[in-house]
Amino acid sequence: MRRAGKVALIVGCILAAINHGDNMWNLRMDLAAWLKCALTFCVPYCVSTYSSVMAVRDQKQQLETEIQ
């Protein structure tokens, strides 16, 4: 979870700047824009978490196959 949080923070900031940077700079962010911006951080968090879980799962299955 810590690693996914770091990834979400870095990638989320980059995506938020790309998608909402002009509105942030010009102070034109409304509540809906801020909510969308917050959701921008959820995507890299979910992707990173899913990738880590799948890697651990695959490694566990590989070890079980080698033992048998």
Side-chain angles (χ1 to χ4, degrees):
M1 289 177 64
R2 226 177 285 144
R3 183 183 305 150
K6 289 177 185 177
V7 169
L9 185 62
I10 294 166
V11 176
C13 286
I14 293 167
L15 291 175
I18 291 169
N19 293 326
H20 304 285
D22 56 336
N23 289 331
M24 286 180 191
W25 185 258
N26 294 319
L27 303 174
R28 291 184 290 171
M29 295 287 284
D30 60 358
L31 179 60
W34 282 113
L35 291 174
K36 289 178 185 178
C37 190
L39 286 173
T40 300
F41 289 83
C42 293
V43 174
Y45 179 83
C46 291
V47 171
S48 180
T49 301
Y50 177 78
S51 177
S52 293
V53 168
M54 294 307 292
V56 168
R57 183 177 166 216
D58 289 347
Q59 187 179 29
K60 182 179 176 182
Q61 285 179 347
Q62 185 179 15
L63 287 173
E64 288 174 354
T65 302
E66 290 174 2
I67 291 173
Q68 295 173 358

